């Protein structure tokens, strides 16, 4: 059975994430469920590194060492940007309080040539 271009891209992205994880001391990921040998369409990315966040209740500024980002590669990926949601608290100008990630110009003009491992490097 022939793979669609999208499935080839998803498989390539998964291999690239495995390679990035093996080469990095700060990156890890969990792949979402797959069906029938198909490559994953969801990931939970984990980055290690210090950042600040503000506790909503107390207003206190705290440190955080592990960050998680949920990635959903929708039906139009790679033609459309993946859905990104920062799951752990962080204080960053490109990440909203509810976890929406702004990729600057890529938010409006996504480039399908950006691979998932490159996107991970941009996020970090």
């Amino acid at each position: 059975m022939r793979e669609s271009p999208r499935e080839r891209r998803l498989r390539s992205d998964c291999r690239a994430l495995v390679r990035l994880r093996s080469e990095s001391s700060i990156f890890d990921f969990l792949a979402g469920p797959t069906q029938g040998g198909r490559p994953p369409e969801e990931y939970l990315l984990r980055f290690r590194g210090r950042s600040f966040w503000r506790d909503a209740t107390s207003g206190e500024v705290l440190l955080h060492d592990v960050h998680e980002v949920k990635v959903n590669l929708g039906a139009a990926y790679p033609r459309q940007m993946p859905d990104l949601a920062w799951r752990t608290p962080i204080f960053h100008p490109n990440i909203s309080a509810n976890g929406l990630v702004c990729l600057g110009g890529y938010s409006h003009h996504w480039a399908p040539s950006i691979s998932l491992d490159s996107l991970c490097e941009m996020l970090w």
Side-chain angles (χ1 to χ4, degrees), residues 87-99:
R87 304 298 288 233
T88 49
I90 189 168
F91 180 75
H92 192 281
N94 290 19
I95 303 169
S96 71
N98 62 355

Side-chain angles (χ1 to χ4, degrees), residues 81 84 92-95 100-111 114 119 122-123:
M81 184 177 132
L84 305 171
H92 192 281
N94 290 19
I95 303 169
L100 294 177
V101 178
C102 175
L103 294 177
Y106 290 119
S107 295
H108 302 289
H109 303 287
W110 173 249
I114 297 174
L119 180 61
M122 289 169 50
L123 287 170

Side-chain angles (χ1 to χ4, degrees), residues 32-92:
T34 61
Q35 296 179 15
R38 293 182 141 176
E41 296 179 1
E42 293 180 2
Y43 292 92
L44 182 65
L45 310 176
R46 289 193 178 121
F47 301 98
R48 286 183 272 303
R50 287 203 158 174
S51 72
F52 293 106
W53 68 286
R54 183 182 305 270
D55 183 275
T57 307
S58 69
E60 185 178 4
V61 175
L62 303 167
L63 286 174
H64 202 69
D65 291 329
V66 178
H67 306 277
E68 293 184 345
V69 181
K70 185 172 181 183
V71 177
N72 186 333
L73 306 172
Y77 177 81
R79 292 184 317 278
Q80 289 184 352
M81 184 177 132
D83 291 326
L84 305 171
W86 205 276
R87 304 298 288 233
T88 49
I90 189 168
F91 180 75
H92 192 281

